[in-house]
Amino acid sequence: MNWSKFGVAAAAAVMAAALSFAAPPEAQAKNDPIFQTAPLIPNDGVTQFPGAGLLYRTKRAIWANLSIQGLDANAGYTVWWVVFNNPKRCSVATPDIGAFCGEADLFDSKVNATVFYAAGFITGEDGTANVSAHLEDGRVPDTIDVVVGRNGIAADNGERPGLKRRNGLKAEVHMQVRSHGPLSDPVPDEEQMSTFDPTLPEGADQVFVIFPGPGLE
């Protein structure tokens, strides 16, 4: 798989990530919750997906919401957390899209990064979606798909998947939206909304968002 298409890097021509916070970092107490917004970034650097990503962080958890237009109609999708627990140790920044961490950092043990399942959804005739995901700190359930991490489908970097304990206000978080094609039956196939499916062709990863670790931007 081309990991640059997994949302950890993109062409410089892609729009710059515009981030806004409820208050500037210097005005917030060390452990206050933080609210971030970020634009949707197309994996191919061309296709436009109107909408935005929202992230609410506390020390122990994060909540995300993605509002997206322009997706495939009547299709199954999954969303994937890409969590860099120690972004200060990242070495592959892409400033044009607001990312301090990139592909190579997924395999640097000092960064403690993993990729794993966040949510699934189906689109209607209009190809729009409004999907939410929640992640507590600590170990994630053994039943979810892990793409990069211990026993990962795409790569095993030895790291336990998840948000490091009490690290919700520090991690850099990317979210990748992945298409699994038209619904296979009138009743949606659960696998189209819950598994990674590494056999999918390039182009399955359609759009992503980036939420830098507060204080790094």
Side-chain angles (χ1 to χ4, degrees):
M1 163 167 286
N2 182 346
W3 280 101
S4 67
K5 296 194 175 207
F6 200 75
V8 293
V14 177
M15 72 182 74
L19 298 170
S20 63
F21 294 81
E26 61 270 19
Q28 295 177 332
K30 184 176 181 181
N31 295 320
D32 280 356
I34 294 175
F35 175 76
Q36 294 174 277
T37 67
L40 303 176
I41 304 174
N43 283 85
D44 63 10
V46 177
T47 307
Q48 296 300 305
F49 294 94
L54 309 176
L55 192 76
Y56 180 78
R57 302 173 177 259
T58 68
K59 193 172 184 179
R60 301 298 301 268
I62 55 179
W63 292 260
N65 179 267
L66 304 180
S67 178
I68 314 170
Q69 300 177 41
L71 297 170
D72 300 333
N74 298 316
Y77 278 85
T78 51
V79 183
W80 301 84
W81 296 111
V82 186
V83 178
F84 300 89
N85 277 297
N86 192 8
K88 290 184 177 180
R89 302 304 296 270
C90 286
S91 59
V92 188
T94 311
D96 290 339
I97 57 172
F100 289 84
C101 300
E103 176 180 352
D105 295 311
L106 289 170
F107 306 98
D108 185 341
S109 61
K110 298 187 296 294
V111 177
N112 185 209
T114 54
V115 181
F116 52 97
Y117 180 78
F121 63 93
I122 59 174
T123 56
E125 293 286 350
D126 59 0
T128 63
N130 190 354
V131 59
S132 298
H134 173 226
L135 179 63
E136 299 280 349
D137 65 348
R139 184 173 179 174
V140 300
D142 294 333
T143 54
I144 69 169
D145 271 10
V146 175
V147 181
V148 177
R150 191 175 298 175
N151 299 319
I153 296 167
D156 186 340
N157 66 0
E159 302 290 345
R160 177 176 292 176
L163 177 67
K164 186 178 177 181
R165 291 200 178 278
R166 301 183 180 276
N167 201 48
L169 297 175
K170 298 178 180 179
E172 174 161 310
V173 178
H174 302 189
M175 300 189 75
Q176 175 65 55
V177 179
R178 182 172 175 84
S179 173
H180 295 259
L183 298 179
S184 57
D185 296 297
V187 178
D189 186 341
E190 289 297 327
E191 291 187 0
Q192 289 181 278
M193 297 182 290
S194 62
T195 59
F196 179 70
D197 190 358
T199 66
L200 290 175
E202 286 194 19
D205 297 325
Q206 293 187 345
V207 60
F208 63 98
V209 294
I210 295 170
F211 302 100
L216 293 179
E217 71 290 346

